Amino acid sequence: MSPNYLRSLLSTPTENGEAERDPLFVQSIARAMEVLSIFHQVDRPLSLQEIASMTGLGRSNVQRIVFTLRSLGYITRDPDDRGYVPGLRLLDHSLDFLRLNPVVVKATPILLELRRAVRERVDLSIWDDLRLVYASRLQSKREILTSTFLGYSVPVFCVSGGWAILSQLDEDEVSDIIERSHRAPLTPLTITDPDLLKDKIRETRENGYALALEQILPGEIAIGAAILDQAQRPVAAIHVAGSLAEWTPEEFTRQFAPLLIQAARTISRG
Amino acid sequence: MSPNYLRSLLSTPTENGEAERDPLFVQSIARAMEVLSIFHQVDRPLSLQEIASMTGLGRSNVQRIVFTLRSLGYITRDPDDRGYVPGLRLLDHSLDFLRLNPVVVKATPILLELRRAVRERVDLSIWDDLRLVYASRLQSKREILTSTFLGYSVPVFCVSGGWAILSQLDEDEVSDIIERSHRAPLTPLTITDPDLLKDKIRETRENGYALALEQILPGEIAIGAAILDQAQRPVAAIHVAGSLAEWTPEEFTRQFAPLLIQAARTISRG
DNA sequence: ACCGGAGTATCGCTATGCGATACAGTCGTA
DNA sequence: TACGACTGTATCGCATAGCGATACTCCGGT
């Protein structure tokens, strides 16, 4: 979700300085979505002016876009503070995504079953280039408030599920992804060195699952396995996550790895 | 989300048959969102032609819109079956909604605490006219696969949270909502008679919570309480739901109603 | 009373998105 | 292997639909 991503789609400059565009591309849709996407970067309501300056769109234009999105329910006025915030109607579309995504649909019942067996947090996340997006979370009994939210995403290079996915790709792709990732450590133990990461991925490939210790949260242990599509390409991952206060890594994997692998296999085949 | 809702925004016919439009309204945005919204009605991938005929938009137009939404990640090609489905990027916007919605943010930690105390399913749903949209679900140990999904919505007239919300409105509003609701029974026990519903709501107003027995799911018992904003208007509801196989209604309410009400109060005040 | 900043509205020009049409693969059937 | 009925893709001219500049209204702060 780099801010430049959409920008680059809005106009593609060529070497002669001209802006060349795909004639099939509808600009105004991209502009509207760019307005909605501006909220990715902030954590408070925004005014029209702010949206205008952040998107680089004209004031009038932003006004019309916001007016339109507002009358459709995709943007709301914040009741307390003044300003605009994303609207409830966005959830409807997420539901459509979840309902219609074959992986999510196939995985959900199996994850519930897995959850019943392991009694720890279980989740499904979908691979999107450099990140993994949580599409389904089944909490454990004691859950901290961090990111219970669906749609939350984490870098693919530093989570168990990410390693599991990378372990299904060839060396070149792995290197490419690792290079392009913004490898900021999230905990003191986060592995960021490309070579160490490749070791981890090799290990994952041999085991059939990935074991991650405190990579994104202190005190957290997680194991992950990849979900493959028909063509044996990884498309998603499932995780079981627990607390190091309760588990040794050995015990954790001994208990859960077979179940996890089994679940991942079941989801993968059609 | 009636199909006519967006349609009516696209063109507002006046008495002389002319189509009069708000000049601030950007049509192409509405058309794009209408394309995305078409998926609300279906449970399978769609072809361009199907989208065109369902939306009433021209084939070429739909092609461009889908092309654009696709390059932005809001629509994807279904890997298995051929056709288009909603894209992963929609989840990003839901996350923005959840992150920036004051009620959701305030409620989440309190719901987690409540969940710890009651050990049954706890959820938060947001009021949207005739429906309640689930914005947060904390599952119980044994969860059936129905609608674990966020964004799922239920009619406001037949759930405990809905009654709790209605109990905070005046008679006219309540009547209006009940009348406009499409009151199809979801279980044999669903109350659809306006007068019986009003009795229920009156009872809810006196108790400070609503008790619903098998209104949307057989065997389910749920109690709900309303969340109010600064102006004392209901904006959302929280529920605790359990199984009638384990609880008598009396025991269920005796145990959970005080906790529920307490949680609702805490969330309501700033 | 003043100012800066909110959101709203108006209006003419031309860039921009629309519709009609044509092209290109892929499946199933005869 | 030819056919037709589907997919999705591309082109292009015209006029409409959306842009930018400008101006208006309302509010809270100093």
Side-chain angles (χ1 to χ4, degrees):
Chain A
M1 293 307 83
S2 86
N4 297 326
Y5 173 63
L6 276 169
R7 185 66 45 79
S8 69
L9 282 166
L10 282 175
S11 59
T12 312
T14 55
E15 60 281 356
N16 55 10
E18 284 288 278
E20 193 184 1
R21 292 177 171 144
D22 191 317
L24 287 181
F25 195 77
V26 182
Q27 317 277 353
S28 56
I29 296 176
R31 284 190 277 260
M33 296 328 254
E34 201 189 359
V35 166
L36 281 178
S37 300
I38 237 28
F39 290 103
H40 296 165
Q41 305 170 30
V42 302
D43 54 358
R44 64 188 168 81
L46 294 177
S47 73
L48 287 180
Q49 322 255 27
E50 290 174 310
I51 296 173
S53 65
M54 292 181 76
T55 55
L57 300 171
R59 310 158 73 75
S60 311
N61 200 0
V62 167
Q63 184 210 339
R64 276 189 301 273
I65 293 170
V66 169
F67 174 90
T68 306
L69 290 173
R70 199 144 79 100
S71 49
L72 296 174
Y74 296 104
I75 281 183
T76 328
R77 201 126 239 290
D78 186 279
D80 316 331
D81 190 293
R82 65 194 43 153
Y84 299 102
V85 289
L88 177 63
R89 207 147 134 52
L90 292 165
L91 291 193
D92 294 332
H93 295 287
S94 283
L95 177 61
D96 286 343
F97 170 81
L98 297 170
R99 279 173 41 232
L100 292 172
N101 186 288
V103 173
V104 174
V105 171
K106 262 185 251 161
T108 301
I110 294 160
L111 286 181
L112 285 167
E113 204 183 323
L114 180 62
R115 167 68 180 73
R116 227 169 284 143
V118 304
R119 323 199 103 248
E120 294 287 343
R121 202 187 79 216
V122 168
D123 28 48
L124 169 70
S125 50
I126 296 182
W127 181 33
D128 181 33
D129 194 27
L130 300 183
R131 59 185 194 140
L132 275 182
V133 183
Y134 285 98
S136 181
R137 313 201 81 166
L138 306 181
Q139 308 91 347
S140 68
K141 55 252 156 172
R142 132 179 38 54
E143 183 73 30
I144 14 165
L145 87 142
T146 42
S147 60
T148 313
F149 294 154
L150 165 141
Y152 188 77
S153 66
V154 292
V156 77
F157 80 90
C158 70
V159 289
S160 59
W163 294 342
I165 284 173
L166 292 175
S167 76
Q168 301 291 325
L169 304 175
D170 58 44
E171 301 287 340
D172 295 348
E173 277 186 285
V174 172
S175 300
D176 178 51
I177 287 172
I178 291 178
E179 287 308 322
R180 278 159 51 228
S181 289
H182 175 238
R183 297 194 303 283
L186 299 176
T187 76
L189 288 177
T190 305
I191 302 175
T192 60
D193 179 74
D195 290 329
L196 291 178
L197 284 171
K198 285 175 192 168
D199 288 345
K200 255 298 179 191
I201 290 163
R202 212 166 297 126
E203 179 193 319
T204 300
R205 193 175 298 123
E206 284 158 16
N207 290 339
Y209 65 88
L211 173 67
L213 298 173
E214 313 197 50
Q215 292 294 299
I216 50 172
L217 275 180
E220 189 185 63
I221 178 173
I223 53 175
I227 309 288
L228 310 177
D229 65 6
Q230 327 282 56
Q232 304 300 313
R233 283 279 296 181
V235 290
I238 58 177
H239 320 246
V240 175
S243 164
L244 281 172
E246 296 183 354
W247 297 93
T248 63
E250 295 74 27
E251 189 59 16
F252 196 80
T253 48
R254 204 178 59 76
Q255 289 254 352
F256 300 144
L259 292 168
L260 180 79
I261 293 174
Q262 182 53 37
R265 283 227 186 88
T266 313
I267 298 169
S268 293
R269 40 187 75 135
Chain B
M1 292 311 86
S2 84
N4 298 327
Y5 173 62
L6 277 168
R7 186 65 47 78
S8 70
L9 282 166
L10 282 174
S11 59
T12 313
T14 56
E15 59 282 356
N16 54 11
E18 283 289 279
E20 194 182 2
R21 292 178 171 145
D22 191 317
L24 287 181
F25 195 78
V26 182
Q27 317 278 354
S28 55
I29 296 176
R31 284 188 277 259
M33 296 328 255
E34 202 190 358
V35 166
L36 280 178
S37 301
I38 260 332
F39 290 104
H40 296 165
Q41 306 171 28
V42 302
D43 54 356
R44 63 187 170 81
L46 293 178
S47 72
L48 287 180
Q49 321 255 26
E50 289 173 311
I51 297 173
S53 65
M54 291 181 78
T55 55
L57 300 172
R59 311 157 73 76
S60 309
N61 201 1
V62 167
Q63 184 209 340
R64 274 190 302 275
I65 292 170
V66 169
F67 174 90
T68 306
L69 291 173
R70 199 143 81 101
S71 50
L72 297 174
Y74 296 104
I75 282 184
T76 328
R77 200 126 240 291
D78 187 280
D80 316 331
D81 191 293
R82 66 197 39 158
Y84 297 102
V85 288
L88 177 62
R89 207 146 136 51
L90 292 165
L91 291 192
D92 294 332
H93 295 287
S94 282
L95 177 61
D96 286 342
F97 170 81
L98 297 170
R99 279 175 38 233
L100 292 171
N101 186 286
V103 174
V104 174
V105 171
K106 260 184 253 162
T108 302
I110 294 159
L111 286 181
L112 285 167
E113 204 183 324
L114 179 62
R115 168 68 180 71
R116 227 169 285 143
V118 305
R119 325 199 100 249
E120 293 287 343
R121 203 187 77 216
V122 168
D123 28 47
L124 169 70
S125 49
I126 296 182
W127 181 34
D128 181 34
D129 195 30
L130 301 182
R131 58 183 195 144
L132 275 182
V133 183
Y134 285 98
S136 181
R137 313 202 80 165
L138 307 182
Q139 308 94 344
S140 67
K141 55 252 159 175
R142 129 177 42 52
E143 183 72 31
I144 12 165
L145 89 141
T146 41
S147 62
T148 312
F149 294 154
L150 166 142
Y152 190 77
S153 67
V154 292
V156 78
F157 80 90
C158 69
V159 289
S160 60
W163 294 341
I165 284 173
L166 293 174
S167 76
Q168 300 290 326
L169 303 175
D170 58 42
E171 302 287 340
D172 295 347
E173 278 186 284
V174 172
S175 300
D176 178 51
I177 287 172
I178 291 178
E179 288 307 323
R180 280 162 47 231
S181 289
H182 175 240
R183 297 194 302 286
L186 300 175
T187 75
L189 289 176
T190 305
I191 302 176
T192 59
D193 179 74
D195 290 328
L196 291 178
L197 283 171
K198 285 174 191 168
D199 288 346
K200 254 298 177 190
I201 290 163
R202 211 167 296 124
E203 178 193 318
T204 300
R205 194 177 296 122
E206 284 159 16
N207 290 339
Y209 66 87
L211 174 66
L213 298 173
E214 312 196 49
Q215 292 294 298
I216 49 171
L217 275 180
E220 188 185 63
I221 177 172
I223 54 174
I227 309 288
L228 310 176
D229 65 7
Q230 327 282 53
Q232 304 300 312
R233 283 278 296 182
V235 291
I238 58 176
H239 321 246
V240 175
S243 164
L244 281 172
E246 296 183 354
W247 297 94
T248 65
E250 295 73 27
E251 189 58 16
F252 195 80
T253 49
R254 203 177 59 76
Q255 290 255 352
F256 300 143
L259 291 168
L260 180 79
I261 293 174
Q262 182 54 37
R265 282 225 188 89
T266 312
I267 299 169
S268 292
R269 41 186 75 133

